[in-house]
């Protein structure tokens, strides 16, 4: 019989930014290392820009988006 937790783990997916997971959590990284957090909610980096990887440090916000060229409204 599968092990059923009292409350299922909640994970929030967004369009941009981190994956929000209700904690505490253990994350096994690709290199086999394990990161542990006992916080009630953790932000797991999905863009791999974080200096605290696998935890999000909001580095995804620093990415500059292409600027639209100024256009003459008369065109």
């Amino acid at each position: 019989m599968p092990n059923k937790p009292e409350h299922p783990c909640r994970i929030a997916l967004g369009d941009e930014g981190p994956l929000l997971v209700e904690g505490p959590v253990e994350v096994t990284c690709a290199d086999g290392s394990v990161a542990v957090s006992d916080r009630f909610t953790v932000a797991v980096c999905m863009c791999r820009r974080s200096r605290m990887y696998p935890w999000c440090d909001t580095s995804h916000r620093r990415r500059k988006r292409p600027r639209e060229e100024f256009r003459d409204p008369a065109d």
Side-chain angles (χ1 to χ4, degrees), residues 40-57:
F40 66 93
T41 300
V42 270
V44 179
C45 177
M46 299 301 291
C47 70
R48 293 185 151 298
R49 292 185 189 109
S50 175
R51 292 184 185 149
M52 299 173 32
Y53 189 81
W55 314 123
C56 178
D57 67 359

